[in-house]
Amino acid sequence: ENESQRAISPRTLRRRMALTEIFYNFCFASSNYRTVFLQELGFGTGRIGLVASLSSVVGIFASPVFGVLSDKIRSVKLCFILCLSLSAISFLFVPVAVGAGAGSAYTGVFIILVFSALFTGPAMDMMENWLVQIDLRYREVSYGSMRIWASLAFAALSLIYVPVLKHMATSYVYVLYFLFALPAVFIAASRVASV
């Protein structure tokens, strides 16, 4: 444990971790509208299933790679920041692909969503790993309470999106993913415990 870690009070650490979880789960709630978005875009059931299947396969292979990387650099926190940043940047291109025109939109969106799975699955794994390790190191920071904040954030934003998406294109949830990722990355990158 270095000096900067000891300087953070458990209360401050708990608050920063809760905020990181809240904003990260806002991102997660935003990406949860993929099927609705693809239906709006005109994707059929088969193509939506293909996006979901390929994304799962990509995520399955990507998670161990980032696990090895986190071991090499000895920081699941940095791996979480990297994965969340790269997924947020890739999602910014979804509205761009939609604006490219019918044929290009299908191909572009398909590629972006599958490519982003390289980072979205590992980001979740890294966040869980980070929380567990902090829970083990700092008894005052409860894993359970962090997960409650995460679940509440996810549920609240999911409900808020229902009326909001009646007034804006569903593709904008990916822009909001990027915007919610900014504070999550910023808070995680601040002097929150490194594990």
Side-chain angles (χ1 to χ4, degrees):
E1 221 176 339
N2 63 34
E3 198 62 41
S4 66
Q5 289 172 330
R6 282 198 296 270
I8 301 172
S9 72
R11 186 175 177 179
T12 300
L13 178 59
R14 189 168 53 243
R15 187 172 58 244
R16 289 181 184 174
M17 288 303 299
L19 284 171
T20 303
E21 270 284 358
I22 287 168
F23 284 112
Y24 173 60
N25 276 270
F26 282 170
C27 294
F28 191 52
S30 300
S31 65
N32 204 38
Y33 280 82
R34 179 177 65 188
T35 301
V36 176
F37 163 64
L38 292 175
Q39 285 174 331
E40 248 183 38
L41 202 59
F43 276 56
T45 308
R47 197 172 284 188
I48 292 171
L50 187 58
V51 170
S53 300
L54 287 176
S55 297
S56 295
V57 169
V58 167
I60 287 168
F61 284 104
S63 288
V65 171
F66 280 100
V68 169
L69 178 62
S70 73
D71 288 343
K72 273 193 176 292
I73 64 173
R74 297 179 180 222
S75 177
V76 292
K77 177 178 105 166
L78 287 179
C79 264
F80 166 72
I81 290 169
L82 176 65
C83 289
L84 182 56
S85 299
L86 292 173
S87 64
I89 291 166
S90 63
F91 280 146
L92 262 186
F93 289 96
V94 170
V96 175
V98 170
S104 301
Y106 286 137
T107 306
V109 167
F110 190 98
I111 291 168
I112 292 165
L113 293 182
V114 173
F115 174 77
S116 68
L118 284 170
F119 315 113
T120 52
M124 184 177 294
D125 295 340
M126 292 299 116
M127 173 51 95
E128 286 298 309
N129 197 342
W130 185 24
L131 280 176
V132 167
Q133 291 187 29
I134 284 179
D135 180 63
L136 293 172
R137 184 179 291 184
Y138 304 91
R139 292 294 176 189
E140 304 90 340
V141 183
S142 161
Y143 174 87
S145 68
M146 296 299 100
R147 292 305 301 141
I148 287 170
W149 281 111
S151 299
L152 289 174
F154 177 82
L157 192 63
S158 294
L159 289 172
I160 290 167
Y161 269 142
V162 174
V164 167
L165 289 176
K166 291 178 181 174
H167 306 289
M168 70 178 199
T170 311
S171 62
Y172 283 110
V173 294
Y174 293 107
V175 175
L176 292 171
Y177 183 108
F178 176 83
L179 294 176
F180 291 133
L182 292 177
V185 166
F186 178 77
I187 295 165
S190 69
R191 269 193 336 159
V192 179
S194 296
V195 181

